[in-house]
Amino acid sequence: MFVEIITPDRKVFSGEASVVTLPGVDGSFQILNDHAALVSTLEKGTLSADKEVFQIEGGVVEVLNNKVLILAEGVN
């Protein structure tokens, strides 16, 4: 699936991944290929897309048609 991580000032990551792990408000969760459509808020924590690992400051995620768009407040 195609994954994009965007902050207010830059695009942090854009590429393919088979699994994305996100820090949700109620705990971490994973997105796999062919996941149902989803919109969720994210907490501060660790986000991983296959072997790429990022520390985010919270944000939102949208999953639709094998595209995962993460709008992060900040990435360290």
Side-chain angles (χ1 to χ4, degrees):
M1 71 193 135
F2 185 74
V3 179
E4 278 189 304
I5 304 171
I6 300 171
T7 66
D9 58 341
R10 66 187 172 107
K11 184 182 288 189
V12 177
F13 177 81
S14 180
E16 293 289 323
S18 58
V19 61
V20 178
T21 304
L22 301 157
V25 174
D26 293 326
S28 66
F29 63 98
Q30 291 186 326
I31 305 295
L32 302 172
N33 282 329
D34 298 320
H35 196 284
L38 168 78
V39 174
S40 180
T41 56
L42 302 174
E43 289 287 309
K44 180 177 181 177
T46 303
L47 180 157
S48 64
D50 285 342
K51 295 180 182 179
E52 300 286 333
V53 179
F54 306 93
Q55 293 298 317
I56 66 167
E57 298 296 321
V60 296
V61 60
E62 177 191 54
V63 180
L64 186 62
N65 298 327
N66 278 331
K67 182 175 179 183
V68 180
L69 176 61
I70 298 141
L71 304 173
E73 293 173 12
V75 176
N76 297 328

